[in-house]
Amino acid sequence: MKNVIGIPARGENFYPRNREIKKILKALSEGANIQLAAPRRVGKTSILMYLLDNNLDENQYLYLDTEAVNDSNSFFKKIYFEIIKSKCIGGSDRVMEQLKIASNNFLKKIKGFKVGGTGIEFSENEDLDFYEELTNLLKGIELEKGRIMLMIDEFPYTINNILETSEDETEAITFLQKNRSLRQDPGINSKIQFIYTGSIGLNTTVENINATSLINDVMSIKVDTLDINEAQDLVNRILNYEVKTISKENLEYLLKRIEWLTPFYIKLIIKEIIDIMKDEETVITDSLVNDAFQEIIDFRNNNYFEHYYSRLHGFFNDSEFDFIIDTLNYIVNNNTASKNEIFNIATKHSMQKKFRNLLHTLIYDGYIHSNDGGDSYRFNSPILKLWWKKYVSN
Amino acid sequence: MKTTLYNPANKRKEQLIEEFVIRTKIFDSIIKDVKSSSDKYPGQHYLLVGQRGSGKTTLIYRIKYAIEDDKTLKHIIPLSLGEEQYGITELVNLWEKISEILEDYYGFDNLYDDVQAELHKPNYEEKCFNILIERLSDQKKKLILFIDNFGDLLKKLDEIEIHRLREILITCTSLRLIAASPVLIDEIFDYQKPLFEFFKTVPLKGLSNEEIESLLLKLAELNHSTEKIKTILKNDPERVQVLRILTGGITRTIVLLYNIFVDNVDGTSIKDLQLTLDAVTPLYKHKMDDLPKNQQKIVDAVAKSWDATSVKEISKTTRIESKIISAQLRNLEKNQLIEKINTGKKNHLYQIKERFFNIWYLMRYGRKYDRKRVIWLVRFLESWCTKEELESRISSHIHSLKNGQFDDEAAILLGEAYLGCKKIDLDLKRKLILESKEIFPESLTKGMSISDTELLNTAFEHYSDGRYEDAIQNALEIGNKEMIYGFLANSYYQIDDYDNALKFSDKLLENGDADDADYGIRGSIFHMLDEYPQAIESLETAVSVGSREALSELGFLYLKTNEYDLAEKNFLESLKYDKENDRTLHLLGHLYEITNSKKDAEKYFLDAIKKGSDRARFCLARFYDKNDDYDKAIEFYKSAFEFYPEESSIGLIYLYLQNEDSKENLEEAIQLIDKIKNSVDEDIQYSLAMIYDKFLNNLKKSKAHFKRAAKLGHDDAFHKLAHLYQRTDDFEKAEEYFLKSFEVYDDYHALLCLANLYYENNKSNEKALLHIEHARKLMELDFDDEIFYATVLLSNNDLEKSVKIIEKIINNFEDITTNYKQNDDDDDDEIIEMSGIIEYFVELMSHEYYDAAHSLLIKNEMGDILKPLYFALMNFMKKDFPDEYLKAGEEIKEIVDEIVSDVNNRRDSRLK
């Protein structure tokens, strides 16, 4: 297995996240629309790609990244064309036939394309209402088999983009309403289900415009870390490609140091270890592990980490800042902090009313996350945590 | 070859591959990945992060060539965007540019036109991109896109475009990105940004020692200097370490310095450097211009210091508050212009992160004639060459100059660097300057000189080695003399050149730069010039501005000027701060000796001895000697003997001879005399002469020792010798030595003694008068001498002048006698003066000038005081005052008769 970093790991480079995949497939089979909620770099997109790349069931999985979309119509247009180009429509003779003859009123209303003798001909008219087009298309067609599983990556970005380019929240709210209609319309939701992901949590984004009710039908599935065996397995697979080895003890030591076992951070440390190893060295020692952690901090130091620290300074007033630093220090030193422990810290700084908002900001900005619906919190990045421990909390 | 080393893009492919000896591991790993990537999914994107000159471009080209040369990778088009990317301001421009290159170089006909056709349609970016990808896919090609300065490109794109780029990079299988950046880009480490941790980041760190060695060996191979470099690597491996620190391990800078190292013939390497600097100027200038004013100032200060510097120093140079500097430094650090060097203490040091930028800055913005401009080169040369190597380089540099082998500017630059090297002999530097000035126009060599700092450092070194003349010589060469007035004053003082010392001390004061130490030295200078009031004034100033060291010297001056209370006050004050100071204790001993506080004197002399003053042993011995404590005097002379054997011997000899009743004492004295008889100390010889005269009655030996003392420079020896001859009636010798004493030592008294010699021996009254009058011109005569003068005038038949002189004396004498009478405690002096006056009157009467005598006595109402004289005169003036002489009382008759007889005797003998 190659040590792929940054882009989604696919094919043999993807380490199967069986627990999450199983949960997703189960929820989908029950007709749910879902969101994968997790901080950045946890592996959400890789999971989506796994669903895309493997024919797991009779459903048609489609992947869309809408982070660069900044208006509602473009969003639906993107979905519209993706669906048309997909196997379940463009690749299905039966569906093409339905479209060709415009077998029902819905299909008759479609203006965006025609199916002629040579196949699909797209209209040159760019001013169409693609939500309408999409609704008509989805309502009008009969799929050959299964449903369309539309995976929309970075969906919250789209909402944010719309918010940024429009005068007020109305357009974003309308946009969310349209999406909900797609999910809830019985004529549509029998043919399509949605899987949303977003590194900036969908809930947080929507809460900001008081529109939680517009997504409360979406089921949240959390993406967990690897367990120790999986993590060991992952390391060994990568080392196999790199032609390096590590003893069981040193591997345990390495993973203990990483602590939060997401593939990304495991890979990052491995990369660093390989980088500092000489060509002729093949065995990873514990001192190499330590050096790698130091290197990874040194390389990012000041610019990378200072950014996390100084940003808080600029953002919050004195007592807010003190509460945040105390909280982060507590998490760093205890690995996690429970809701009660954080509240306890909040009382010290008279932040009982504000602390929830402050926590949300920390989550939003990528410092911490909760894996259990807000019962406890931990650092996102073990590297940031290490730096914090070394330079801030002590 | 050298120039292209800085510009990998211009280097021939074969050459680049041949010279590629470092970063091989990274290269191997990327190529392995490219070769093993699946076509089905997008490949790994890379971001190479390394300073300018760290080898990013070389690595990019090496990867590009490897892909081109690999038969299994024919489906990949490696496409690098160098300067072409500067026209890109939005994402679509990137697709346009790629289309253009593909069409121009890779046979994608009409691709550019097809892309252009979409430009004015809605969603043109997406459409253009799709066309590009379709065409690649049609030809079954994939693209590996190399983009240098990736951060600059990202800055031009808006956030949505960057999201779009991310979307493409995640989903498109035909495009792989290998980007490079001199700095870690915000986009990569900001959690909120689309490209957060998106790339496999490959830091191109500074080369390790091993990598530098490989690089040097490769360079050496290309320059045919393998043996030379191998020898260095073997014998001086620490030079590699130094090179790494100096360059930050950055390939380009290492190559640059290496070339200068191996090239000492015509300065080509320096010319190459200048070309490279020209090439990076637009980029670096832009970088500087983009900074806010305050940051520019800070970067300027840090760059010009070259070595890591502190906030305090920066604040001093920029006159910006430390607080602001710290804040701005954080920004500059964040922008990776400046690097913090953790000192492990509170105050960190800062330097320009990219050393080549620092070199560029110094060369472009350093003051033209400022040595700082080449400090980087100086540091290199100093660390990479031994003193001998450097000196031999300079010699060969001078030789090349003479042969006209050098490019002017390169020669001057290298020359400046050599002048900046500390370990070079100053004379060789002077030669280099001389030759350069002879060969090059003045405009080029204007600033060539040995730096003030170096001269000053050398001067300080000489000073601390006690080589004051050398210190002065170097200091006098310093251009900015204002900074060294104090140093010069001090150095001249050390070599007893008080006039020059005072001259520079004056200049220092004119400049208003003097501190307490300077006033202290000034006081000492005046002290040595015997200008006590000024010395005291300066020392008082020194003390008032905080000098504690000056207190003791001030006390000493007050002691010398008999201001005993002030002397005591200052000495005691001085001891508060420096109670161990044996000199002060010693001087206090003398003070109390003078003020007759014997116990205190003894105590302080003893304290001074305890604190290490050996001289105080001798002075204490003398103190006991004077106070007739024979035993203690002996004891301390003996204890001082070890340190001052001759002086102590003299003290002991005096003591032994004063107590000559003991035979042992005499023997001891003789033994001691024998030991020191050959002393080369004038005072010892003089003392021995005195001892032989006074105690041992051996005039022959006395004369011999006086002669030796005179030869050694004792200024009183000739005089004493003359008297000795006079005593033994050797008139000629006496005359000779009085004259010598006058001629050699400006001994004016010798003239009087000579006059006396002539007068008493009746040799020549004229000569006697001549010598007195000569002496009178040179010095002020005392009463006795004036009386003698008046007497000699009588013998030379000048009564009028004689009387005038004596009247003056009598007038002054009266004042004195009145004063003395008022005090009435000691009339010894009065008696002496009186006897002189009486002598004169006797002489006057012997010349039969009775009226003159009478007139003097009456006029000055001295008849009552000098009654015997008066009645003696009356004896001779019976004609005019018939009965007056009879009035003399019985009690004075005898004296009157003696006077009359004396007058008669003198007259008779003169007549004879």
Side-chain angles (χ1 to χ4, degrees):
Chain A
M1 180 184 282
K2 275 191 193 176
N3 195 8
V4 171
I5 290 175
I7 57 161
R10 295 173 76 168
E12 59 191 11
N13 296 325
F14 174 70
Y15 189 84
R17 310 287 285 267
N18 292 333
R19 282 188 303 281
E20 284 76 15
I21 291 164
K22 212 169 146 188
K23 271 187 227 167
I24 292 166
L25 292 178
K26 182 167 182 282
L28 290 175
S29 70
E30 289 163 359
N33 293 291
I34 59 175
Q35 62 158 318
L36 296 185
R40 297 190 74 167
R41 305 262 66 101
V42 166
K44 299 179 299 294
T45 308
S46 294
I47 293 172
L48 297 188
M49 292 300 180
Y50 178 80
L51 300 176
L52 179 73
D53 293 337
N54 298 281
N55 298 315
L56 298 171
D57 49 31
E58 57 174 7
N59 298 319
Q60 175 69 51
Y61 289 81
L62 299 180
Y63 173 86
L64 275 182
D65 181 340
T66 63
E67 63 187 297
V69 173
N70 57 3
D71 68 281
S72 174
N73 203 36
S74 298
F75 177 82
F76 294 114
K77 179 181 172 189
K78 200 163 178 140
I79 297 175
Y80 179 67
F81 284 120
E82 190 67 26
I83 291 174
I84 293 168
K85 282 191 290 182
S86 70
K87 277 188 202 159
C88 57
I89 292 187
S92 159
D93 292 343
R94 234 172 86 185
V95 179
M96 286 294 271
E97 190 56 32
Q98 294 167 32
L99 289 166
K100 200 173 176 181
I101 58 169
S103 57
N104 55 45
N105 280 341
F106 295 113
L107 297 182
K108 279 194 177 94
K109 287 182 197 163
I110 285 176
K111 298 168 191 152
F113 70 97
K114 295 194 293 202
V115 178
T118 51
I120 298 171
E121 293 165 25
F122 291 103
S123 157
E124 290 291 311
N125 186 356
E126 301 283 347
D127 297 329
L128 298 175
D129 180 339
F130 284 99
Y131 175 69
E132 280 285 328
E133 287 282 310
L134 182 63
T135 312
N136 289 328
L137 176 68
L138 290 172
K139 281 186 174 169
I141 52 166
E142 283 297 328
L143 293 172
E144 218 169 314
K145 59 173 181 182
R147 302 176 194 186
I148 297 169
M149 297 298 173
L150 188 61
M151 302 181 282
I152 300 180
D153 207 358
E154 303 298 358
F155 181 61
Y157 270 122
T158 314
I159 303 168
N160 269 353
N161 292 344
I162 293 170
L163 279 167
E164 271 170 31
T165 50
S166 55
E167 279 174 17
D168 54 26
E169 294 163 0
T170 328
E171 200 174 330
I173 289 172
T174 313
F175 172 70
L176 286 170
Q177 282 166 342
K178 285 179 176 170
N179 275 285
R180 191 179 58 170
S181 303
L182 288 179
R183 294 195 299 272
Q184 294 191 342
D185 189 321
I188 296 174
N189 65 14
S190 57
K191 295 168 196 162
I192 190 165
Q193 277 170 268
F194 293 86
I195 307 165
Y196 303 105
T197 70
S199 44
I200 48 173
L202 180 59
N203 293 9
T204 317
T205 312
V206 173
E207 262 172 38
N208 286 343
I209 52 173
N210 297 317
T212 317
S213 61
L214 296 176
I215 57 156
N216 57 13
D217 60 308
V218 178
M219 175 184 171
S220 193
I221 291 180
K222 68 173 184 182
V223 180
D224 219 338
T225 53
L226 303 184
D227 67 27
I228 186 79
N229 294 325
E230 291 169 328
Q232 288 181 358
D233 188 26
L234 171 65
V235 173
N236 283 323
R237 288 194 200 189
I238 295 171
L239 291 186
N240 193 30
Y241 172 82
E242 301 285 358
V243 203
K244 308 281 180 195
T245 58
I246 188 167
S247 69
K248 200 168 179 330
E249 294 75 31
N250 285 339
L251 179 53
E252 277 166 9
Y253 176 69
L254 167 69
L255 296 176
K256 198 178 156 206
R257 286 213 61 178
I258 298 173
E259 194 237 320
W260 197 51
L261 300 175
T262 61
F264 174 76
Y265 288 108
I266 294 171
K267 289 171 168 187
L268 207 59
I269 299 291
I270 293 177
K271 174 196 164 291
E272 205 59 50
I273 294 171
I274 305 284
D275 277 357
I276 60 173
M277 285 175 90
K278 289 182 178 146
D279 282 345
E280 61 275 15
E281 278 180 301
T282 55
V283 181
I284 296 171
T285 60
D286 53 354
S287 78
L288 273 170
V289 172
N290 291 335
D291 290 349
F293 271 96
Q294 195 50 51
E295 277 289 325
I296 214 163
I297 284 188
D298 285 349
F299 179 60
R300 286 165 169 76
N301 205 1
N302 301 330
N303 308 305
Y304 184 98
F305 296 120
E306 272 292 327
H307 168 81
Y308 280 91
Y309 183 74
S310 58
R311 185 163 62 173
L312 296 174
H313 244 313
F315 243 58
F316 302 103
N317 67 32
D318 286 351
S319 44
E320 288 170 349
F321 178 78
D322 291 345
F323 161 73
I324 284 172
I325 296 297
D326 264 6
T327 304
L328 292 176
N329 287 349
Y330 187 92
I331 299 175
V332 157
N333 293 320
N334 299 284
N335 288 336
T336 63
S338 72
K339 197 167 61 180
N340 294 337
E341 284 159 345
I342 292 174
F343 183 77
N344 182 43
I345 297 169
T347 55
K348 182 177 148 196
H349 298 278
S350 309
M351 285 285 136
Q352 293 94 319
K353 284 187 180 163
K354 272 190 183 170
F355 88 100
R356 228 172 277 279
N357 283 339
L358 296 175
L359 278 185
H360 268 152
T361 312
L362 289 180
I363 293 165
Y364 190 81
D365 285 340
Y367 294 82
I368 55 170
H369 68 276
S370 170
N371 253 3
D372 47 20
D375 282 344
S376 68
Y377 297 85
R378 58 199 311 157
F379 256 70
N380 282 358
S381 158
I383 298 163
L384 176 63
K385 186 178 153 198
L386 193 69
W387 180 83
W388 198 280
K389 190 162 188 158
K390 198 165 171 182
Y391 295 100
V392 184
S393 76
N394 293 323
Chain B
M1 161 249 160
K2 288 161 195 159
T3 316
T4 51
L5 268 170
Y6 308 126
N7 300 300
N10 296 340
K11 201 183 279 189
R12 279 185 305 109
K13 181 173 170 178
E14 297 73 23
Q15 190 191 338
L16 186 136
I17 293 171
E18 160 69 18
E19 290 169 10
F20 189 82
V21 288
I22 48 163
R23 315 283 186 204
T24 49
K25 186 178 156 189
I26 297 169
F27 165 75
D28 290 342
S29 128
I30 293 177
I31 284 298
K32 182 181 171 193
D33 175 33
V34 169
K35 287 175 82 169
S36 62
S37 286
S38 155
D39 289 347
K40 285 198 285 184
Y41 312 120
Q44 173 75 62
H45 307 295
Y46 290 91
L47 177 66
L48 314 175
V49 181
Q51 283 180 24
R52 279 180 190 84
S54 61
K56 294 185 301 294
T57 317
T58 303
L59 177 58
I60 282 176
Y61 274 86
R62 183 66 192 92
I63 296 169
K64 186 172 181 245
Y65 296 147
I67 295 169
E68 283 173 357
D69 293 348
D70 193 317
K71 283 178 188 158
T72 65
L73 298 176
K74 286 293 167 206
H75 63 291
I76 294 176
I77 298 174
L79 199 153
S80 76
L81 284 187
E83 285 165 7
E84 295 87 350
Q85 61 169 294
Y86 294 127
I88 297 173
T89 55
E90 49 183 319
L91 192 56
V92 71
N93 300 146
L94 181 61
W95 315 140
E96 285 179 84
K97 188 51 74 183
I98 293 170
S99 306
E100 188 184 312
I101 298 172
L102 287 177
E103 180 171 331
D104 290 349
Y105 298 96
Y106 296 93
F108 284 71
D109 296 337
N110 301 324
L111 175 59
Y112 184 66
D113 289 343
D114 292 349
V115 166
Q116 289 286 306
E118 297 296 323
L119 276 182
H120 302 289
K121 296 180 182 167
N123 297 322
Y124 57 84
E125 181 277 317
E126 206 177 321
K127 285 178 178 151
C128 291
F129 178 73
N130 289 341
I131 290 172
L132 176 66
I133 295 304
E134 274 166 27
R135 292 291 295 274
L136 281 168
S137 157
D138 288 348
Q139 301 214 13
K140 298 198 170 56
K141 295 284 188 195
K142 286 174 181 288
L143 209 56
I144 292 187
L145 186 60
F146 298 92
I147 301 182
D148 211 346
N149 295 315
F150 185 57
D152 291 350
L153 176 68
L154 288 181
K155 270 186 205 155
K156 293 180 199 160
L157 305 182
D158 63 31
E159 184 121 346
I160 290 284
E161 287 179 308
I162 298 174
H163 274 295
R164 166 76 179 142
L165 181 64
R166 179 179 184 271
E167 181 198 335
I168 290 169
L169 293 174
I170 283 182
T171 53
C172 178
T173 54
S174 307
L175 180 64
R176 185 204 285 254
L177 186 58
I178 297 182
S181 169
V183 293
L184 246 187
I185 306 164
D186 276 19
E187 292 284 342
I188 308 302
F189 59 74
D190 189 343
Y191 186 84
Q192 302 290 357
K193 303 277 184 176
L195 295 177
F196 172 71
E197 294 283 17
F198 184 74
F199 292 92
K200 193 169 204 172
T201 310
V202 182
L204 301 192
K205 294 175 207 158
L207 300 185
S208 66
N209 288 352
E210 292 82 18
E211 286 170 315
I212 292 178
E213 283 182 18
S214 311
L215 177 63
L216 290 177
L217 283 170
K218 178 48 90 176
L219 291 168
E221 187 190 315
L222 298 168
N223 275 87
H224 312 293
S225 23
T226 306
E227 281 316 306
K228 188 175 181 177
I229 293 299
K230 271 189 179 165
T231 311
I232 289 174
L233 296 181
K234 190 179 163 208
N235 298 334
D236 305 294
E238 71 285 351
R239 289 191 192 178
V240 173
Q241 168 80 352
V242 170
L243 189 60
R244 192 170 63 79
I245 293 167
L246 199 63
T247 57
I250 294 306
T251 320
R252 183 195 299 178
T253 320
I254 294 171
V255 174
L256 153 79
L257 292 178
Y258 168 83
N259 282 337
I260 294 174
F261 179 70
V262 292
D263 161 37
N264 196 33
V265 184
D266 56 4
T268 312
S269 54
I270 301 282
K271 280 225 74 143
D272 284 345
L273 162 69
Q274 280 162 338
L275 289 175
T276 313
L277 291 175
D278 288 343
V280 295
T281 292
L283 187 78
Y284 284 160
K285 209 176 161 312
H286 189 61
K287 190 164 157 180
M288 271 311 282
D289 290 348
D290 280 355
L291 295 177
K293 267 231 168 80
N294 263 354
Q295 291 189 11
Q296 281 184 9
K297 272 190 182 174
I298 293 168
V299 169
D300 180 81
V302 178
K304 282 182 180 163
S305 88
W306 174 260
D307 300 314
T309 184
S310 64
V311 171
K312 201 174 150 196
E313 280 299 314
I314 302 169
S315 171
K316 218 165 103 186
T317 320
T318 56
R319 291 193 295 275
I320 300 174
E321 256 184 87
S322 299
K323 249 188 188 175
I324 299 174
I325 289 176
S326 299
Q328 295 298 349
L329 279 172
R330 272 197 293 278
N331 284 329
L332 287 165
E333 216 194 320
K334 199 176 151 197
N335 294 334
Q336 303 184 49
L337 237 104
I338 288 213
E339 180 175 39
K340 178 161 84 183
I341 293 171
N342 218 317
T343 54
K345 293 177 199 153
K346 203 179 160 196
N347 297 320
H348 303 298
L349 296 175
Y350 298 85
Q351 66 177 16
I352 298 291
K353 185 167 182 181
E354 192 185 332
R355 304 313 281 157
F356 194 73
F357 174 79
N358 205 151
I359 291 176
W360 171 84
Y361 194 92
L362 286 169
M363 295 289 284
R364 282 293 178 275
Y365 293 109
R367 284 187 55 198
K368 197 171 176 199
Y369 303 117
D370 191 346
R371 184 86 20 90
K372 279 273 176 186
R373 211 161 62 101
V374 287
I375 187 173
W376 52 275
L377 186 52
V378 172
R379 290 279 193 278
F380 169 69
L381 289 170
E382 279 182 340
S383 57
W384 257 66
C385 304
T386 61
K387 182 175 189 288
E388 291 70 31
E389 280 169 338
L390 265 176
E391 292 185 346
S392 126
R393 286 176 79 101
I394 295 175
S395 298
S396 99
H397 179 80
I398 293 172
H399 182 75
S400 302
L401 289 182
K402 284 183 181 163
N403 294 340
Q405 289 169 335
F406 249 109
D407 168 78
D408 288 10
E409 282 200 27
I412 294 293
L413 194 112
L414 207 54
E416 280 285 354
Y418 287 141
L419 289 177
C421 293
K422 281 194 202 102
K423 42 190 176 186
I424 307 303
D425 189 65
L426 283 190
D427 285 337
L428 188 59
K429 287 189 179 179
R430 289 193 180 98
K431 197 173 162 197
L432 174 61
I433 294 170
L434 222 68
E435 288 294 342
S436 303
K437 294 208 172 199
E438 216 162 82
I439 291 163
F440 299 116
E442 202 197 332
S443 60
L444 281 177
T445 57
K446 202 171 145 194
M448 273 193 117
S449 62
I450 295 162
S451 81
D452 282 359
T453 321
E454 188 173 355
L455 286 166
L456 191 61
N457 286 341
T458 316
F460 274 126
E461 268 170 37
H462 288 323
Y463 183 94
S464 18
D465 293 347
R467 293 162 61 191
Y468 303 114
E469 275 93 350
D470 292 338
I472 290 168
Q473 195 198 336
N474 280 304
L476 285 173
E477 278 184 55
I478 288 174
N480 178 12
K481 289 226 172 30
E482 290 187 3
M483 62 195 265
I484 42 132
Y485 287 152
F487 179 79
L488 278 168
N490 194 329
S491 302
Y492 276 118
Y493 172 78
Q494 301 295 344
I495 58 163
D496 304 335
D497 183 345
Y498 305 118
D499 291 335
N500 270 315
L502 187 58
K503 187 174 102 186
F504 285 104
S505 176
D506 284 345
K507 288 188 175 191
L508 188 68
L509 254 64
E510 275 167 38
N511 271 10
D513 289 340
D515 61 14
D516 57 341
D518 295 319
Y519 279 109
I521 284 287
R522 188 174 172 80
S524 300
I525 296 166
F526 278 127
H527 185 170
M528 298 315 288
L529 288 167
D530 292 336
E531 307 272 7
Y532 295 160
Q534 286 101 318
I536 288 174
E537 189 190 337
S538 297
L539 290 167
E540 284 286 9
T541 311
V543 169
S544 72
V545 295
S547 171
R548 290 165 176 179
E549 291 75 16
L551 285 164
S552 180
E553 182 81 353
L554 186 57
F556 190 23
L557 273 153
Y558 280 128
L559 176 62
K560 278 194 163 180
T561 51
N562 305 331
E563 298 271 8
Y564 301 129
D565 290 346
L566 286 169
E568 184 186 29
K569 184 187 145 217
N570 281 290
F571 282 141
L572 293 177
E573 188 71 12
S574 167
L575 285 179
K576 276 189 198 166
Y577 304 113
D578 186 9
K579 57 183 175 194
E580 305 284 310
N581 192 322
D582 59 329
R583 184 172 179 267
T584 310
L585 293 165
H586 183 170
L587 288 170
L588 257 172
H590 282 296
L591 171 70
Y592 290 126
E593 182 183 7
I594 292 165
T595 55
N596 225 15
S597 308
K598 291 180 184 169
K599 280 202 166 165
D600 283 335
E602 187 182 21
K603 171 190 177 304
Y604 280 102
F605 278 134
L606 284 168
D607 280 354
I609 294 168
K610 252 188 238 163
K611 301 297 174 197
S613 170
D614 301 322
R615 188 69 193 171
R617 293 171 194 275
F618 180 74
C619 295
L620 181 59
R622 240 177 13 193
F623 169 78
Y624 286 133
D625 191 349
K626 277 185 198 162
N627 287 288
D628 298 326
D629 192 336
Y630 177 79
D631 291 339
K632 283 197 174 164
I634 295 274
E635 180 195 337
F636 277 91
Y637 275 134
K638 281 185 176 172
S639 94
F641 188 86
E642 184 188 340
F643 310 102
Y644 303 98
E646 295 182 344
E647 281 175 277
S648 304
S649 293
I650 294 292
L652 284 168
I653 292 164
Y654 270 108
L655 279 177
Y656 289 144
L657 292 177
Q658 276 164 5
N659 297 279
E660 59 183 331
D661 47 326
S662 146
K663 198 185 159 199
E664 279 172 11
N665 278 357
L666 184 64
E667 280 173 4
E668 288 257 14
I670 301 291
Q671 271 179 16
L672 285 172
I673 289 172
D674 197 49
K675 275 184 192 160
I676 60 169
K677 65 184 180 191
N678 293 322
S679 167
V680 287
D681 183 326
E682 60 192 74
D683 291 326
I684 299 301
Q685 288 297 340
Y686 185 87
S687 299
L688 285 173
M690 297 292 281
I691 287 163
Y692 273 117
D693 180 16
K694 206 175 163 192
F695 294 101
L696 299 172
N697 207 19
N698 186 338
L699 298 190
K700 202 179 157 194
K701 286 210 168 172
S702 178
K703 284 175 190 167
H705 283 291
F706 272 134
K707 282 181 187 168
R708 287 169 90 167
K711 209 174 177 183
L712 289 166
H714 198 289
D715 58 5
D716 196 35
F718 282 138
H719 194 121
K720 277 282 186 319
L721 190 57
H723 277 296
L724 213 53
Y725 279 115
Q726 189 177 7
R727 260 167 49 207
T728 52
D729 297 326
D730 191 338
F731 175 82
E732 279 76 20
K733 287 274 182 198
E735 183 187 35
E736 178 193 339
Y737 283 110
F738 277 132
L739 276 171
K740 265 194 181 169
S741 188
F742 168 69
E743 284 160 5
V744 179
Y745 292 112
D746 290 338
D747 176 9
Y748 307 147
H749 284 281
L751 292 174
L752 294 174
C753 295
L754 196 54
N756 185 268
L757 181 70
Y758 290 126
Y759 181 77
E760 291 293 333
N761 291 282
N762 292 319
K763 286 287 180 186
S764 165
N765 287 329
E766 294 81 7
K767 278 192 179 176
L769 183 62
L770 214 69
H771 284 304
I772 296 174
E773 291 191 326
H774 189 188
R776 216 167 166 259
K777 274 181 200 160
L778 297 167
M779 63 191 254
E780 201 179 319
L781 303 188
D782 64 16
F783 283 157
D784 280 341
D785 294 333
E786 284 287 292
I787 293 168
F788 176 54
Y789 177 40
T791 309
V792 174
L793 278 169
L794 284 181
S795 304
N796 281 277
N797 298 317
D798 196 341
L799 177 65
E800 188 189 351
K801 208 173 182 181
S802 178
V803 169
K804 236 185 217 170
I805 300 284
I806 216 76
E807 273 194 316
K808 219 192 243 175
I809 295 170
I810 290 169
N811 284 337
N812 288 334
F813 170 70
E814 278 177 345
D815 293 346
I816 294 167
T817 47
T818 319
N819 287 337
Y820 266 99
K821 275 181 182 161
Q822 279 169 359
N823 290 330
D824 204 24
D825 50 358
D826 193 344
D827 50 11
D828 278 1
D829 284 353
E830 192 186 345
I831 289 164
I832 293 164
E833 304 296 337
M834 286 302 235
S835 71
I837 298 277
I838 293 165
E839 275 285 302
Y840 178 79
F841 273 98
V842 171
E843 193 68 20
L844 196 63
M845 286 189 284
S846 76
H847 283 88
E848 300 178 359
Y849 299 136
Y850 304 124
D851 291 322
H854 184 254
S855 156
L856 275 173
L857 281 177
I858 299 305
K859 207 172 156 189
N860 294 295
E861 298 171 357
M862 291 174 78
D864 273 356
I865 307 166
L866 302 173
K867 262 188 186 163
L869 197 66
Y870 173 76
F871 284 111
L873 180 62
M874 287 301 107
N875 198 38
F876 291 108
M877 294 181 82
K878 285 175 192 165
K879 273 187 191 166
D880 300 312
F881 306 101
D883 298 323
E884 191 69 15
Y885 79 98
L886 299 171
K887 289 181 187 170
E890 280 299 315
E891 76 281 2
I892 58 164
K893 259 191 181 164
E894 202 177 330
I895 308 172
V896 174
D897 288 345
E898 269 180 30
I899 296 172
V900 170
S901 150
D902 193 11
V903 170
N904 287 332
N905 285 341
R906 285 192 195 198
R907 188 181 54 216
D908 292 347
S909 80
R910 191 163 47 247
L911 287 175
K912 271 180 198 167

